[in-house]
Amino acid sequence: MAVLRRKGRRGQGVDDPLDAAQERRVRAVLALGGVPQADLPDGVQQVRLRLLERAARGDEAPRDVSAWVAVVASNLAMDWHRNKRRQERIGERLASLRQHEHPSGEDTSLLSLAVAQGLDELPDAQRQVLVLRFYTDLSVRGIAEELGIPEGTVKSRLHTAVRALRARLHEDEVV
């Protein structure tokens, strides 16, 4: 696979499947596809990774690597937009839930505040599945489909998040 080897910038041998022109093409396709400037390096790395994975599987190098990377970059741009829309929908659901909250009594307000603080301390992935399960009432399958992750991952994150939140509420002597 001599096509995929090139010299590193400082003279070391480096496996890099993209030459400078191909990398510029990937950046251009991603930018034209609406991917923000800050996310372009990640997109380039994704294309690079897919080309390396292809080589690792023993697949032949594409006949026209430049065309292949442009197609992959275009697909990545579409994926970026799908993920953005998914996150926006989740945000809209959360916003609509917040509008429907009705505080009822001092105890409920204290518990709500403690739960909100506990949620803030959870890692983003755990907080996300917890909110989707208990605040938006999505099923484990629905969460998995919405986030594009396996159901087992959703279950694991839910279990860990509930345990951490419960421990936090006991620590604060709220429950």
Side-chain angles (χ1 to χ4, degrees):
M1 177 140 305
V3 172
L4 296 181
R5 280 192 81 69
R6 79 171 193 206
K7 284 285 191 181
R9 291 186 178 107
R10 294 188 179 101
Q12 310 132 318
V14 175
D15 284 336
D16 189 350
L18 297 178
D19 63 27
Q22 292 162 341
E23 187 170 328
R24 283 191 304 275
R25 174 175 276 190
V26 168
R27 285 179 177 276
V29 169
L30 290 171
L32 289 171
V35 176
Q37 198 72 18
D39 291 338
L40 294 183
D42 289 339
V44 171
Q45 286 299 84
Q46 282 294 319
V47 172
R48 186 174 279 124
L49 178 64
R50 291 187 187 178
L51 196 52
L52 289 171
E53 286 171 341
R54 183 183 171 113
R57 283 192 311 265
D59 296 346
E60 289 183 28
R63 281 187 297 211
D64 184 351
V65 175
S66 292
W68 185 88
V69 299
V71 169
V72 171
S74 176
N75 290 338
L76 285 172
M78 287 187 289
D79 290 345
W80 184 89
H81 286 289
R82 279 189 206 108
N83 289 334
K84 181 181 175 196
R85 280 195 304 273
R86 181 180 302 132
Q87 292 299 323
E88 288 170 353
R89 283 194 312 268
I90 290 169
E92 289 168 3
R93 284 185 189 155
L94 290 175
S96 71
L97 285 175
R98 287 188 182 121
Q99 292 172 356
H100 298 296
E101 290 178 358
H102 301 291
S104 57
E106 188 175 316
D107 290 340
T108 306
S109 295
L110 180 62
L111 180 60
S112 294
L113 181 62
V115 169
Q117 288 173 341
L119 283 172
D120 285 344
E121 294 175 2
L122 291 175
D124 290 340
Q126 291 177 10
R127 179 177 44 250
Q128 188 176 43
V129 296
L130 197 68
V131 167
L132 289 172
R133 178 67 187 104
F134 296 109
Y135 285 84
T136 64
D137 201 30
L138 280 179
S139 65
V140 169
R141 175 174 285 157
I143 295 168
E145 289 172 1
E146 191 69 33
L147 299 177
I149 59 176
E151 288 182 41
T153 302
V154 172
K155 291 176 184 177
S156 173
R157 288 178 185 174
L158 274 172
H159 176 77
T160 305
V162 167
R163 191 175 59 216
L165 188 56
R166 182 179 296 129
R168 165 64 195 253
L169 295 175
H170 283 293
E171 260 178 37
D172 293 347
E173 299 178 354
V174 176
V175 290

